[in-house]
Amino acid sequence: MNAQKSDVLIIGGGIMGASSAFFLSRRGRAVTLLERDQIGQYASGVNFGNVRRQGRYLGQLELANRSWALWKRLPKLIDDDLEFIPSGHMRVCYREDEIAELEAYAAAPEAVQLDLKIYRGAELHQRFGFLGPEVKGGSYAPHDGHANPRLAAPAFARAARRLGARIEERTEVADVQKVNGLFHVTTTDGQLFAAEQLLITAGAWAARLSEQFGEPVPLEPNGPQMSVTEPVPYALPTVIGVFTKIKEEVIYFRQIPRGNIIIGGGNRCAPDMVNRRAFFKPESLLNQMRQMRRLLPGAENLNIIRVWSGIESYTPDSLPVMGPSGMVDGLFYAFGFCGHGFQLGPGVGDVMAELISTGSTSTLISPFDIRRFTQPSLTAQLSTSLLSTGKLI
């Protein structure tokens, strides 16, 4: 069988894979992207749509800042509107001791570009008068915002295709191996693809592929619990999320200009990975309404017109796997973004294209090295070396 050759093969058509295909194509690389179902069908297309930097692991802010700079340019860069609105993002809390944690985060040197402002007491309720009386404080990020996740991955895929990338949907991978310096990917319909470099961006299914190359990752699939209200007059441009260590209290909402309020958070639900089905639990909606009553009094009286879920993947340390393989030359990963990868999408694609094309990247990604799971002692040595030399990979 003759293999269909390209410079780079990408497995997985979420926002990470689609944006990587776009940025690789901009660098003149011949790219083939294989997606088992449809572009952006799972985590990328069904998430909350937060374009949020604040609250992230501080070591991830360099990547988030690079992505944020791209979000501002996307309409011209990909010739598509993802409904990005830099409306501001507010992390609120119910307890005084949590305000101190928000203040410490805002004071960290890594967070300087976020221009965070801490509100508490009367000043908080004067600035955000719609918040419930239980809310004690909050951290406001004026440049963060939200976008439409259903539009993002398909828009990047269309832009990549216009630059010459081959985007294959409904193409399921049956076997992946490296033979004589080339990665060979065989699909269930008998096609054979080959390339010198392979990028795995297969989301919750990526660990099955990394394990084939001797790099298992303890990836846990989960389904976000999302709902949306009937439209009401547009009055809440700021994205609101609760900072708390109590799982049931984790709730967030945003209102879109059409008037609907999109709600997420609370308990997650394990998906059916064999049949690729996600579920929404009725008790999730009940908890969301209880929490919304505390956060936005009166919202619990609105009609919920739709609920949904998706399939996301979570690592034990809540950080993604991103970067080169620790065992196989030419193999790269970008998966396991733990429910907060949407904002990172453009930046991940740009960084992976830079890394794959040049062998290095100017953006810090060493905390996401797959070797922290497969070779933890080596990763500890690497971290020490990076701290002493200042080198970024």
Side-chain angles (χ1 to χ4, degrees):
M1 185 190 305
N2 292 324
Q4 302 171 66
K5 294 183 179 179
S6 55
D7 296 329
V8 185
L9 270 172
I10 301 174
I11 300 177
I15 190 171
M16 306 308 175
S19 63
S20 296
F22 170 73
F23 286 107
L24 282 163
S25 297
R26 288 188 85 220
R27 288 177 173 268
R29 309 301 302 279
V31 178
T32 298
L33 184 153
L34 307 178
E35 164 55 42
R36 177 176 52 191
D37 292 298
Q38 292 180 293
I39 297 293
Q41 181 170 334
Y42 294 103
S44 296
V46 300
N47 63 80
F48 179 70
N50 236 343
V51 182
R52 168 189 63 85
R53 290 177 295 167
Q54 77 157 326
R56 294 184 178 277
Y57 167 64
L58 290 172
Q60 197 177 70
L61 283 179
E62 189 174 319
L63 175 61
N65 289 338
R66 180 167 176 167
S67 196
W68 177 73
L70 290 167
W71 272 102
K72 295 188 295 181
R73 298 171 48 207
L74 283 186
K76 291 184 178 179
L77 192 63
I78 64 174
D79 193 26
D80 227 320
D81 180 12
L82 306 186
E83 299 179 3
F84 171 49
I85 303 174
S87 56
H89 180 278
M90 186 72 173
R91 293 177 86 203
V92 302
C93 60
Y94 296 124
R95 299 164 189 87
E96 291 289 341
D97 61 328
E98 292 167 338
I99 300 177
E101 295 186 59
L102 295 177
E103 289 174 331
Y105 187 92
E110 297 91 335
V112 65
Q113 290 190 36
L114 278 60
D115 295 328
L116 298 176
K117 177 176 174 56
I118 304 299
Y119 288 89
R120 63 198 307 161
E123 185 185 18
L124 169 77
H125 289 280
Q126 183 177 5
R127 173 66 175 80
F128 300 96
F130 54 84
L131 293 172
E134 290 186 63
V135 179
K136 296 294 190 295
S139 171
Y140 179 62
H143 312 302
D144 289 354
H146 58 94
N148 189 335
R150 297 178 68 182
L151 304 178
F156 270 107
R158 288 192 298 269
R161 186 179 281 119
R162 289 193 294 269
L163 292 176
R166 180 173 182 175
I167 310 294
E168 296 287 344
E169 295 181 287
R170 304 294 186 189
T171 304
E172 183 173 0
V173 171
D175 181 66
V176 182
Q177 54 184 299
K178 192 173 185 182
V179 181
N180 298 325
L182 288 178
F183 291 96
H184 285 198
V185 175
T186 305
T187 64
T188 54
D189 61 0
Q191 298 184 78
L192 177 62
F193 297 89
E196 291 185 359
Q197 294 171 302
L198 174 65
L199 172 60
I200 294 175
T201 56
W205 293 270
R208 298 180 184 177
L209 296 171
S210 71
E211 189 170 5
Q212 293 183 31
F213 291 102
E215 297 181 296
V217 175
L219 207 59
E220 180 184 357
N222 256 309
Q225 305 291 277
M226 306 294 302
S227 61
V228 61
T229 74
E230 61 186 317
V232 292
Y234 184 59
L236 304 167
T238 304
V239 183
I240 306 291
V242 176
F243 170 60
T244 175
K245 294 178 176 63
I246 300 174
K247 182 174 63 175
E248 289 76 19
E249 290 183 342
V250 176
I251 198 81
Y252 35 87
F253 73 84
R254 64 183 178 97
Q255 187 178 26
I256 59 176
R258 290 183 291 275
N260 308 80
I261 297 175
I262 299 170
I263 304 166
N267 297 313
R268 297 191 291 262
C269 182
D272 177 349
M273 296 296 288
V274 174
N275 296 301
R276 306 194 293 278
R277 292 183 63 86
F279 307 98
F280 185 96
K281 292 183 176 180
E283 53 266 37
S284 296
L285 183 58
L286 295 175
N287 180 65
Q288 286 181 352
M289 290 302 99
R290 284 192 296 268
Q291 300 304 325
M292 286 297 289
R293 184 185 301 120
R294 302 173 68 189
L295 189 60
L296 181 66
E300 74 277 9
N301 297 321
L302 297 177
N303 291 313
I304 298 296
I305 61 174
R306 187 165 69 92
V307 298
W308 69 94
S309 184
I311 301 179
E312 299 174 335
S313 56
Y314 292 77
T315 61
D317 59 9
S318 297
L319 295 176
V321 172
M322 181 180 172
S325 164
M327 297 185 66
V328 181
D329 288 342
L331 175 62
F332 301 85
Y333 301 112
F335 66 86
F337 286 85
C338 305
H340 49 75
F342 182 64
Q343 187 275 343
L344 297 175
V348 169
D350 194 24
V351 166
M352 295 310 298
E354 180 185 28
L355 179 61
I356 291 168
S357 299
T358 70
S360 64
T361 175
S362 58
T363 297
L364 176 68
I365 60 171
S366 54
F368 319 133
D369 196 310
I370 194 169
R371 288 176 291 178
R372 70 187 192 273
F373 297 117
T374 61
Q375 306 172 55
S377 59
L378 180 62
T379 306
Q381 297 172 18
L382 176 64
S383 298
T384 302
S385 175
L386 288 168
L387 286 172
S388 63
T389 64
K391 181 181 178 182
L392 306 180
I393 67 170

